[in-house]
Amino acid sequence: MNNTINQFRYIYDNVDIYQFQSTQLDWIIFVGTIVWGVILMVWLFYFIRFISLSTMSYYLGGALARKKKTLGDLILMKDIQTELEKEIEQAVLKAAFHS
């Protein structure tokens, strides 16, 4: 069954009637839109880069602080161990001289 009643038929002779007439204002708007689009894209690039670098430096700073704290704790533990070894050595020497 051929349903030609509801089909739209092009009349190619009428295509010449509806041609787009570009004006100088259209070109100014087009170029202005492209320029503003490029400026926006560059700004977004630097903004996103700034946010990512700030986030990375924040987390790396926190990691560095945790490592410094761990190193400080290890140094303190080593000092305590050294003091305990000295006390044990003095106690052994004291016990050796008293016997």
Side-chain angles (χ1 to χ4, degrees), residues 19-94:
Q19 287 187 358
F20 176 71
Q21 300 293 325
S22 68
T23 62
Q24 188 175 8
L25 180 63
D26 292 332
W27 282 104
I28 291 172
I29 292 172
F30 173 74
V31 171
T33 303
I34 295 296
V35 167
W36 280 112
V38 168
I39 290 171
L40 178 66
M41 295 300 278
V42 169
W43 182 83
L44 280 174
F45 169 75
Y46 283 110
F47 179 72
I48 291 170
R49 189 175 78 166
F50 170 75
I51 295 296
S52 63
L53 289 175
S54 299
T55 304
M56 285 190 302
S57 66
Y58 174 76
Y59 284 110
L60 289 176
L64 184 62
R66 286 189 299 275
K67 288 179 183 178
K68 283 182 179 180
K69 183 181 181 310
T70 303
L71 184 60
D73 291 344
L74 289 173
I75 290 171
L76 181 63
M77 289 171 61
K78 180 65 178 170
D79 290 343
I80 292 171
Q81 180 185 3
T82 304
E83 289 295 321
L84 283 173
E85 287 174 352
K86 285 180 184 177
E87 289 181 15
I88 292 171
E89 183 181 340
Q90 287 178 359
V92 168
L93 287 174
K94 192 182 225 183

